[in-house]
Amino acid sequence: MGKEGIRYATKIDVDADPESLPYLHNRWHPDIPSCGTIKNNETVKIECVDWTGGQIKNDDSANDIRDVDLTRVHYLSGPFDIETAEPGDVLVVDIQDVQPLEYQPWGFTGVFAKENGGGFLDEIYPKPAKAIWDFEGIYCSSRHIPGVRFAGLIHPGILGCAPSDEVLSKWNEREAQLISECSHMEKVVALPPEPKCAHAGSGDASIKEKVGKEGARTVPGRPEHGGNCDIKNLSRGSKVYLPVHVKGAKFSVGDLHFSQGDGEISFCGAIEMAGCITIKFSVMKDGIAQLGMKSPIYVPGPVEPQFGPGRYIYFEGFSVDENGKQYYLDTTVAYRQTSLRCIEYLKRFGYDDYQIYLLLSCAPVQGHIAGIVDVPNACTTMGLPVDIFDFDIMPHVKAERRDLGTCAYAS
Amino acid sequence: MGKEGIRYATKIDVDADPESLPYLHNRWHPDIPSCGTIKNNETVKIECVDWTGGQIKNDDSANDIRDVDLTRVHYLSGPFDIETAEPGDVLVVDIQDVQPLEYQPWGFTGVFAKENGGGFLDEIYPKPAKAIWDFEGIYCSSRHIPGVRFAGLIHPGILGCAPSDEVLSKWNEREAQLISECSHMEKVVALPPEPKCAHAGSGDASIKEKVGKEGARTVPGRPEHGGNCDIKNLSRGSKVYLPVHVKGAKFSVGDLHFSQGDGEISFCGAIEMAGCITIKFSVMKDGIAQLGMKSPIYVPGPVEPQFGPGRYIYFEGFSVDENGKQYYLDTTVAYRQTSLRCIEYLKRFGYDDYQIYLLLSCAPVQGHIAGIVDVPNACTTMGLPVDIFDFDIMPHVKAERRDLGTCAYAS
Amino acid sequence: MGKEGIRYATKIDVDADPESLPYLHNRWHPDIPSCGTIKNNETVKIECVDWTGGQIKNDDSANDIRDVDLTRVHYLSGPFDIETAEPGDVLVVDIQDVQPLEYQPWGFTGVFAKENGGGFLDEIYPKPAKAIWDFEGIYCSSRHIPGVRFAGLIHPGILGCAPSDEVLSKWNEREAQLISECSHMEKVVALPPEPKCAHAGSGDASIKEKVGKEGARTVPGRPEHGGNCDIKNLSRGSKVYLPVHVKGAKFSVGDLHFSQGDGEISFCGAIEMAGCITIKFSVMKDGIAQLGMKSPIYVPGPVEPQFGPGRYIYFEGFSVDENGKQYYLDTTVAYRQTSLRCIEYLKRFGYDDYQIYLLLSCAPVQGHIAGIVDVPNACTTMGLPVDIFDFDIMPHVKAERRDLGTCAYAS
Amino acid sequence: MGKEGIRYATKIDVDADPESLPYLHNRWHPDIPSCGTIKNNETVKIECVDWTGGQIKNDDSANDIRDVDLTRVHYLSGPFDIETAEPGDVLVVDIQDVQPLEYQPWGFTGVFAKENGGGFLDEIYPKPAKAIWDFEGIYCSSRHIPGVRFAGLIHPGILGCAPSDEVLSKWNEREAQLISECSHMEKVVALPPEPKCAHAGSGDASIKEKVGKEGARTVPGRPEHGGNCDIKNLSRGSKVYLPVHVKGAKFSVGDLHFSQGDGEISFCGAIEMAGCITIKFSVMKDGIAQLGMKSPIYVPGPVEPQFGPGRYIYFEGFSVDENGKQYYLDTTVAYRQTSLRCIEYLKRFGYDDYQIYLLLSCAPVQGHIAGIVDVPNACTTMGLPVDIFDFDIMPHVKAERRDLGTCAYAS
């Protein structure tokens, strides 16, 4: 009662080297030491760096995107011990709010270079690109993509409890097998443990070595704990149910997004930001058995930006690729085509391809699996909200080519 | 003005053999004769048989599903010539309404047997099953899946304009190539032209032969015209923009659904029904070039059933299959896992697996592509609306096993 | 099971004189004989005439509005006995659907002449006027108010159970007292029983005489049973809880509206139509005590037309009238001002006053009581959905005066 | 660009006596000196005290409510000069965000004593009462009204530009006339200028005297500028269009609400709080003429808490008061009855009357004007969102009386 704010479980220093901060880490491993304890039913604030740990600047060049060091990313705040949590329990995470840092009201969306990170459309759009987004309260806009402004659907890209040794081994084995099976492909299909730049929080040298050698990379989400699920409506007001694998749960969170489109197609595709998440934690004893739970579930909050259903244009895509090749019920191919249809549509207004690629990555576009059984074509749809544009983009209105500037490119 | 209803472009006879009806057909081919002409800017009603042409009965056995003759299905109403439509134009289809037939207020959802049709989860659920749905105004309910009742998100599963000869050849070639490439697989990966039971409307013997030999099967949607896209929110009030490939457009429609979930996972998965669709047609001259259009687009209507965002439980799935095998950004695998997570969750209330499989196919579940770039895991989500249930299924409420009967099985 | 539609409890003959039809009546009185029995838990269809009993024509003159005989209106279908219903119970009315008659796809909105009916703004707009609305599926549009098109929020204006003798006496007494208290006013403040054109359904001469002498007029809604409540979102899919005052409930329904704005300001203000309502009836025994109910309650359906919150322009009005006179917390005065603000706004686009008066009466405008405690000013708001217009009416866009024709006027 | 937050136009000291703070004032008067200048198109943050200036404590007694000094309230932040604004212009106020103060995460709702402030239901509920609300991110809950939790619909109760001398005179005259006309009533019908505790910001003694003698009280909203309109959905993301009456506009804002129900029925009825509002200001030259504007208009933001339409229970009320007296189209009487119906309904669950009175004042209930033309009964409705309750309050579920504690009362 009285004049008292909510307790901060972490405050971050955005100017410090993230590797030097003991309350951050960038691997999933049960041995990373807890950086604090939170009571059952306690609400705390947790500050987070952006997932590149500050590598990206608020400027008009994509050189930083081009040159980003992808071994130095995905710093998470935590892990936190939650009192009373035991393996078999479910940790209930009430996301009471997510906000950017008051003194840093901006974020970024990037297209990684094909050679350094890539993305969903890198065969077609191989160059690095960037858009800076300015936040004004609930809204954001970008000097690099003029003509759009929208309310954030703010959420954490990553949240989860630490894996047990057993779960971790399973991850490493199955991903190693994929890597070995795909050794003929030119693609990076998965990321094995990597000692370089592994950050084990406050762990000592031996822990750091172990975490570097065994720790799961934070890039993929994984069914057993969630992790980097990048789900756009796991947003403010959501209640998330997370399986607990180790004593204390060892909860971590990071990679906050001001907004993201379904698919987060450009990879560095959300509006990435440093910020603060307010969470109430509670423990559901024996929850995994009770809920029959193998993967996290969640109930969204009530305040997501709301457009009427008739204020979207929906694009259709099928599992026939841009070269006319037919695939068998391949939803990934279908969604790539759907994205391309939307890019073609928006180019008529004067945007260039990269501006749109960036926009579809971060604006609240709805990516749906429409039909997944009509052999051989999976059908996916992408719903583009028209009200984020300053001008009318409805199909019955004749498109007029405007001067819409450019996003940031590398020199 | 005055007492006058909207003109019927077709009235159907649900008791007749669909093959005998000149205003139906079941292949895509430019030579199928038009069965009527509709004016530019005219609104008409078009009645449609259910896609099995009446093979499925309103009873408590899935024998009809087990024995369904899949060469005698997908009868479409049309094709209709739209005055002034020419190749290069876009046909604007205003779906003013879709309704079941007044004298037949019921529909069905089926799980095909693995050996005869199959579906998205047929490796796990190979048996035939069925649920009959009773319609009462905007709502439906089923004696085979007690405890649920929901408003329809009524829509046509199939709509499109006829392909040109050129487009048709492209389809046949690329699908033939897939079939040949996959000849080692045990699956039916695509359906080549099939003379058996080909119905070419009012076409004479020579047309019928040609259509049987060349006509594209109606099962898959295809990027060039839409077709069997099975998109749940292409519903009442939607405005659809379809590319025109032949003079008069030769528009066809059918496979009406009272409701469908994203993915239509059980294949015969929507609530299939005979019914009537009211459409206003108008022609956008030179629309393909104007809209830069390669595939149909649409703007949904404003009356879809509306639950608050906080009235869904969302399930997460990743591209690791049920045997623990890791796939590379495979969205199809991820969505299968998402579906299974939801089935496991609902079983706790007393439903059996097939009841839930049927339900997720036809209830308005939201299937989203969440993250498609976090190698190696694609992440998809499925949002299950809790308000379609008579009892509280929220995760914080302890699940109580009820007697929830059974769906229809084969004898 | 099988081919069978829902039972019709009434079918109407729109060409007959409503007074000759035994299944209609136009007074509330317990002695009007039941015109049919409906089972507990049965679903039936009930056809209804429009509330003027067909006096208004689909033409371009408001002479019929000017000359309307207001003693020959408000014909209701019923009353129906619901099996098992007893005084003290609650009748649960599931409105499964409401539709216009298929062969009469149009309705009307009228402004009554000040001398014959009047309306909320009759001091300012005393002339008769009319708009005819054409229905195409879920949508309506009017040649008399070009530039708008919207989906219906279809509902019954009137529904309720018959009053008991006791309840009826109470109504007659309190309204007679108001009439006597206001005898100095020039306004018709309430309508006493009126034998002229009283229609007592199938009642014989003595019943007819009694009903004419005592029967409550159907114009006002009343707290004890609902009646002519004119609530726009008591629409398709709603579940209404009605107090039962007599054995069998004696339920009546009528005055169907394709759409209505909050307030129904022009009095004949909804889009009035003949149509069919589908209702499931069930009886909650002893429901009045259980629910502590003094007036009806309802839970709306899930399919109302849905615009995003940011797709409304809201107008504010306060309890200071158009002559600058200050009133004390008078919400009625405030709402009149709010309506005028909206009319002034829309006139800038080329509509004339009566067109807008008609439009605000029937389009789904949101009328809210904002503040009702800030002496001396009540504040009300009116939310106007911008997406019902073909052109952009947002305030940041410069208004351009168009040629928007005219509504129908009297000669 | 870079690390820089949004500029604060005011920071407040919540511990200081508001009368001592030069950037606050509590009258509307053109001579109150500007406390700062804001550029056209600039975004600033403005901190505000709660409207009682800190008189209400976070404790469990309503003594402070009982004893509140109503001459020392409604302190507004400002007035601010907006560059380029001139009489005849419209000031466009983009409400980018509203937040409580981080270090004071709570607010209050009060029922004033009938003798000291009163409220909409003070004839029935004359005692003082209070509920304290704790804020956790987007949500609030109260130890005084257990069983409810909801997301805030955060908004300013008061915002507006200063009146010109002319406008001010008009206000004073018309309200004086009402007071004189109602001198026989026992009620306070309006508040005349009052020198006691008038706060004229940084104005010197002569300004203070003038403002005290002539300044309009801040309690009522007024059509010419808005002011204390208490509109619940004039919330985050809204764009408000305000008429400008004096050079520089002299904009003021205050009385921030975490949430409010339509009507704000208990008078001190919103969740009152100190907080910070982020606004972008821009000037529409000659906007009053362009928009044909007599009163403010606004377009709401897209993030209001969203429940499905089927997740409300709607209560009906008519213009017959609780003693059975009939009124003529009196919407205020009707809304009072509607409120009482809702209170009766909720009492069945164990809440006491004052708890519910408080709750309906501040929770996001929808108050609609349903029918305002059916003589003699106006009909209003109140929609109560069921999802703000921890337990199921739907009418088909049997109400169970719980121990739901008590709100704060005076000793």
Side-chain angles (χ1 to χ4, degrees), chain C residues 98 153-157 230-232 234-235 255-257 259-260:
Chain C
V98 188
L153 181 54
I154 309 186
H155 62 274
D230 284 329
I231 298 171
K232 78 174 190 307
L234 198 159
S235 180
D255 188 20
L256 304 186
H257 296 164
S259 179
Q260 186 202 293

Side-chain angles (χ1 to χ4, degrees), chain C residues 339-395:
Chain C
S339 306
L340 292 172
R341 293 300 87 77
C342 189
I343 291 174
E344 289 150 12
Y345 186 87
L346 285 175
K347 282 174 69 174
R348 298 152 50 242
F349 298 95
Y351 289 114
D352 80 16
D353 299 65
Y354 281 86
Q355 284 179 311
I356 309 170
Y357 187 14
L358 289 162
L359 181 64
L360 300 186
S361 300
C362 68
V365 300
Q366 307 293 342
H368 282 274
I369 291 156
I372 204 162
V373 290
D374 300 319
V375 287
N377 275 322
C379 174
T380 61
T381 60
M382 181 183 272
L384 177 69
V386 300
D387 292 329
I388 68 172
F389 293 89
D390 288 350
F391 47 91
D392 192 344
I393 65 158
M394 278 291 191

Side-chain angles (χ1 to χ4, degrees), chain C residues 6-60:
Chain C
I6 291 166
R7 177 168 85 84
Y8 279 81
T10 48
K11 283 245 182 194
I12 55 158
D13 177 351
V14 295
D15 291 323
D17 177 358
E19 288 195 56
S20 71
L21 300 175
Y23 44 78
L24 297 183
H25 62 103
N26 66 0
R27 293 292 185 277
W28 292 110
H29 196 290
D31 292 354
I32 299 173
S34 160
C35 76
T37 297
I38 296 167
K39 291 198 175 58
N40 189 2
N41 293 315
E42 187 182 0
T43 297
V44 296
K45 294 191 175 218
I46 300 172
E47 287 191 351
C48 302
V49 296
D50 85 69
W51 78 279
T52 70
Q55 293 187 58
I56 306 306
K57 303 301 166 206
N58 185 339
D59 63 21
D60 301 313

Side-chain angles (χ1 to χ4, degrees), chain A residues 159-196:
Chain A
L159 80 176
C161 299
S164 62
D165 284 318
E166 215 175 349
V167 166
L168 179 60
S169 300
K170 197 200 292 186
W171 293 353
N172 282 333
E173 279 162 35
R174 76 184 175 211
E175 293 176 20
Q177 192 179 348
L178 177 73
I179 293 170
S180 109
E181 283 168 10
C182 299
S183 54
H184 60 288
M185 290 171 67
E186 280 165 42
K187 284 241 163 194
V188 173
V189 297
L191 302 164
E194 166 63 67
K196 182 160 180 258

